[in-house]
Amino acid sequence: MVEWITSDGLTDYRAAEAWMEARAAGIAAGTASECIWLVEHPPLYTAGTSAKPADLTDPDRFAVYPTKRGGQYTYHGPGQRVAYVMLDVAARGRDVRCFVRQLEDWVIATLDEFNLRGEIRSGRVGVWIARPDKPHLPDGSPAEDKIAAIGIRLRKWVSFHGLSINVEPDLSHFDGIVPCGISDYGVTSLVDMGLPVTMADVDVILRRTFEETFGPLA
């Protein structure tokens, strides 16, 4: 069984990292169950293993946390649902690409419950929303905004870190970084898209769509 934990208030980032690492070690040792941990963080930036210093455009705005997850710079803050996934990828097929695609599908299925079409793009990490209401980009391609970020790490075939979905964060807080190294596109949220959605609404859907996407252990 996958244990679900939802933390109230704002969770310290380093404390969250330490907790995830301990839980992942327990899963690998067979002494702890898989876990999905839903949190919100105070405003901060995280730097993944591929982060480029030039993409931190306002280094004094919020605390910056180097982290060993994959990816580049990401913002976390109030109004954003962070879902940390501590899952046994070995028991789920030992296919990292498939696992990442399942995370993407999980987000897309969640957005679909709110009648919002999320999409993935080759070469662009995360989940994207087409914005036909916005002007085309300088190269003539349609405008798109990022609504969810994904970045994981594996240790002994157990995942930690995870994904974040913008429910109602302060979108101006993303201005201090080039999110995931991609400067041509913007960011959006469920509320920014005109949906009167609460964090509790998202949590209910996340749990249901997780079971539909991942299913039980093999």
Side-chain angles (χ1 to χ4, degrees), residues 32-115:
S33 63
E34 295 183 304
C35 180
I36 305 294
W37 185 21
L38 304 179
V39 306
E40 288 179 83
H41 289 301
L44 59 91
Y45 299 128
T46 66
T49 54
S50 302
K52 301 174 183 177
D55 289 341
L56 181 61
T57 58
D58 191 355
D60 298 322
R61 187 168 190 177
F62 300 125
V64 180
Y65 294 92
T67 181
K68 294 180 181 179
R69 62 152 175 81
Q72 301 187 40
Y73 280 104
T74 298
Y75 167 77
H76 292 314
Q80 182 190 70
R81 174 51 84 212
V82 177
Y84 287 131
V85 293
M86 288 144 279
L87 299 175
D88 187 344
V89 180
R92 295 178 179 274
R94 290 181 180 262
D95 188 329
V96 178
R97 287 190 178 185
C98 178
F99 180 68
V100 172
R101 182 55 195 265
Q102 284 179 304
L103 292 174
E104 294 169 338
D105 289 345
W106 183 24
V107 174
I108 290 169
T110 298
L111 297 175
D112 187 62
E113 291 288 324
F114 298 106
N115 295 314

Side-chain angles (χ1 to χ4, degrees), residues 18-195:
W19 194 93
M20 282 191 286
E21 292 200 14
R23 184 61 175 251
I27 295 168
T31 59
S33 63
E34 295 183 304
C35 180
I36 305 294
W37 185 21
L38 304 179
V39 306
E40 288 179 83
H41 289 301
L44 59 91
Y45 299 128
T46 66
T49 54
S50 302
K52 301 174 183 177
D55 289 341
L56 181 61
T57 58
D58 191 355
D60 298 322
R61 187 168 190 177
F62 300 125
V64 180
Y65 294 92
T67 181
K68 294 180 181 179
R69 62 152 175 81
Q72 301 187 40
Y73 280 104
T74 298
Y75 167 77
H76 292 314
Q80 182 190 70
R81 174 51 84 212
V82 177
Y84 287 131
V85 293
M86 288 144 279
L87 299 175
D88 187 344
V89 180
R92 295 178 179 274
R94 290 181 180 262
D95 188 329
V96 178
R97 287 190 178 185
C98 178
F99 180 68
V100 172
R101 182 55 195 265
Q102 284 179 304
L103 292 174
E104 294 169 338
D105 289 345
W106 183 24
V107 174
I108 290 169
T110 298
L111 297 175
D112 187 62
E113 291 288 324
F114 298 106
N115 295 314
L116 197 59
R117 182 177 178 180
E119 299 177 286
I120 57 173
R121 294 288 182 259
S122 177
R124 282 194 264 139
V125 179
V127 179
W128 299 81
I129 301 292
R131 298 302 303 266
D133 55 312
K134 289 188 173 183
H136 280 47
L137 299 180
D139 65 0
S141 59
E144 296 182 338
D145 287 342
K146 190 172 189 176
I147 197 167
I150 295 172
I152 64 165
R153 188 179 180 197
L154 294 182
R155 182 179 295 159
K156 296 182 179 179
W157 285 102
V158 176
S159 68
F160 53 110
H161 293 283
L163 58 88
S164 60
I165 299 175
N166 297 333
V167 181
E168 193 179 7
D170 184 336
L171 295 178
S172 72
H173 288 180
F174 287 87
D175 295 344
I177 58 172
V178 179
C180 298
I182 300 169
S183 59
D184 294 335
Y185 301 89
V187 291
T188 190
S189 69
L190 289 163
V191 171
D192 182 54
M193 293 298 297
L195 300 170

